[in-house]
Amino acid sequence: MERIEHRTVEVNGIKMHIAEKGKEGPVVLFLHGFPELWYSWRHQIAALGSLGYRAVAPDLRGYGDTDVPSSISSYTCFHVVGDIVSLIDLLGVEQVFLVGHDMGAIIGWYLCMFRPERIKAYVCLSVPFLHRNPKIRTVDGMRAVYGDDYYICRFQEPGEMEAQMAEVGTTYVMKNILTTRKTGPPIFPKGEYGTGFNPDTPDNLPSWLTEDDLAYFVSKFEKTGFTGGLNYYRNFNLNWELTAPWTGVKIKVPVKFITGELDMVYTSFNLKEYIHGGGFKEDVPNLEEVIIQKGVAHFNNQEAEEEISNYIYEFIMKF
């Protein structure tokens, strides 16, 4: 992690930890997913920071060394986008190149929707734009398709999933999630964490995830717990209500989308048809490229780190 610097800044009423490399050049802002941290972008920060860019990755609210507000309603799309806009202001720039993965990708779409003038271009990993269905709330729609045991449905009850994660332990949870290569929707057994996201959790870590990497994630989640990260999912229905004014909106920011062919998101909800059948391009008219990585699973920014860094660089250098 050579020359990656760390500091705490005040944004939108909270203290936020950011990691950064590069003092000059355009800002590339990285948004992590669940259950992740700035650390998920360690390779990309190093790569882009060495190529003349100012690479910045926060721990989002509720994660790592950033404040963890206690109320569930402090994790709406407005709160999190407010944090990021405040951070962009604090960095002293008008626009950033945005890169988001997993939940960070969803926040990225909200940013592009609410404040497109602040985003020069967006590299989105794993989660495509999910347009608002005015007829059914988000979690209700997921429950209708996959039932009560779909993981996002199981995340809804405050305290329940936290208790089940505590039973198996933080190390198991992190290893279980980060190593999953199971395609399709994650379905949890009733009333327990069980095998969680990965029924085939390996004894040994994959080559791209070291024991030190795992230990870093575990140390931070043992400090904060998982509640902050889970609260993002607990606001999906509220976000659906809050974003009613943006129903039917088109995302006009230039976008490059990258996902692994084994990604649990890509292989759920008929998203392949949406991504490749014209729906995605209709919602995001400036979608310039879609890349499906062969043999790569959900955490592509870590598993295929060099490839992802190169894809980001190739895209943003055009602007």
Side-chain angles (χ1 to χ4, degrees):
M1 300 301 101
E2 62 190 274
R3 295 197 296 282
I4 293 181
E5 296 180 1
H6 298 266
R7 60 185 169 124
T8 299
V9 296
E10 294 211 13
V11 296
N12 196 25
I14 64 167
K15 288 188 169 63
M16 172 180 271
H17 164 249
I18 63 172
E20 54 190 334
K21 181 176 179 182
K23 300 287 188 200
E24 307 291 329
V27 172
V28 186
L29 183 59
F30 296 93
L31 305 181
H32 67 77
F34 174 86
E36 298 180 84
L37 303 160
W38 75 269
Y39 192 79
S40 306
W41 299 110
R42 57 198 177 279
H43 305 296
Q44 289 77 29
I45 296 169
L48 275 296
S50 300
L51 288 167
Y53 291 90
R54 189 176 168 197
V56 180
D59 284 334
L60 297 173
R61 67 166 55 206
Y63 285 96
D65 295 319
T66 290
D67 283 353
V68 183
S70 56
S71 81
I72 293 173
S73 59
S74 296
Y75 293 83
T76 71
C77 54
F78 289 160
H79 288 86
V80 187
V81 169
D83 296 345
I84 303 305
V85 172
S86 183
L87 176 59
I88 294 170
D89 288 342
L90 185 130
L91 294 171
V93 293
E94 282 300 310
Q95 289 190 312
V96 298
F97 290 113
L98 189 64
V99 185
H101 171 260
D102 185 77
M103 184 62 75
I106 295 173
I107 297 160
W109 290 118
Y110 282 129
L111 259 164
C112 292
M113 192 155 71
F114 302 150
R115 298 300 302 272
E117 79 284 359
R118 306 307 299 267
I119 312 301
K120 205 174 293 183
Y122 181 29
V123 180
C124 177
L125 275 53
S126 177
V127 186
F129 180 64
L130 305 172
H131 60 231
R132 183 181 184 277
N133 179 347
K135 296 186 174 143
I136 188 164
R137 298 192 305 172
T138 306
V139 179
D140 302 4
M142 292 170 171
R143 190 172 274 115
V145 176
Y146 289 132
D148 291 336
D149 295 339
Y150 180 59
Y151 79 107
I152 290 174
C153 302
R154 291 273 274 106
F155 285 177
Q156 293 304 308
E157 186 59 38
E160 190 177 285
M161 184 52 64
E162 290 93 324
Q164 290 161 19
M165 287 172 157
E167 281 180 23
V168 295
T170 307
T171 300
Y172 178 80
V173 170
M174 292 307 303
K175 189 175 178 181
N176 172 263
I177 297 176
L178 289 171
T179 61
T180 188
R181 306 185 79 69
K182 185 177 183 296
T183 56
I187 305 295
F188 280 46
K190 280 183 174 51
E192 59 173 340
Y193 186 83
T195 56
F197 286 83
N198 188 3
D200 305 308
T201 304
D203 292 330
N204 299 316
L205 295 176
S207 59
W208 52 268
L209 187 69
T210 69
E211 291 290 349
D212 284 349
D213 295 335
L214 183 64
Y216 185 85
F217 283 115
V218 169
S219 71
K220 296 303 178 184
F221 282 101
E222 283 188 337
K223 184 187 76 157
T224 62
F226 291 99
T227 299
L230 292 167
N231 282 343
Y232 286 69
Y233 297 93
R234 292 169 181 154
N235 278 282
F236 274 9
N237 276 350
L238 179 55
N239 288 341
W240 178 86
E241 293 177 27
L242 295 172
T243 55
W246 288 272
T247 302
V249 72
K250 305 289 187 196
I251 301 295
K252 301 290 180 62
V253 170
V255 172
K256 180 174 192 166
F257 178 75
I258 312 165
T259 191
E261 67 172 352
L262 305 177
D263 190 302
M264 64 184 91
V265 180
Y266 180 60
T267 52
S268 301
F269 290 113
N270 292 326
L271 281 181
K272 286 187 186 180
E273 187 184 333
Y274 171 70
I275 290 165
H276 302 292
F280 192 13
K281 177 74 172 171
E282 191 174 319
D283 289 336
V284 186
N286 294 320
L287 175 66
E288 295 194 10
E289 197 174 0
V290 170
I291 292 168
I292 311 300
Q293 297 174 293
K294 296 284 180 207
V296 175
H298 180 66
F299 295 95
N300 55 345
N301 52 340
Q302 298 184 72
E303 180 183 344
E305 45 98 353
E306 192 174 341
E307 200 172 80
I308 291 294
S309 297
N310 290 338
Y311 281 141
I312 295 167
Y313 179 60
E314 285 163 12
F315 188 57
I316 66 177
M317 68 184 290
K318 298 193 298 190
F319 296 92

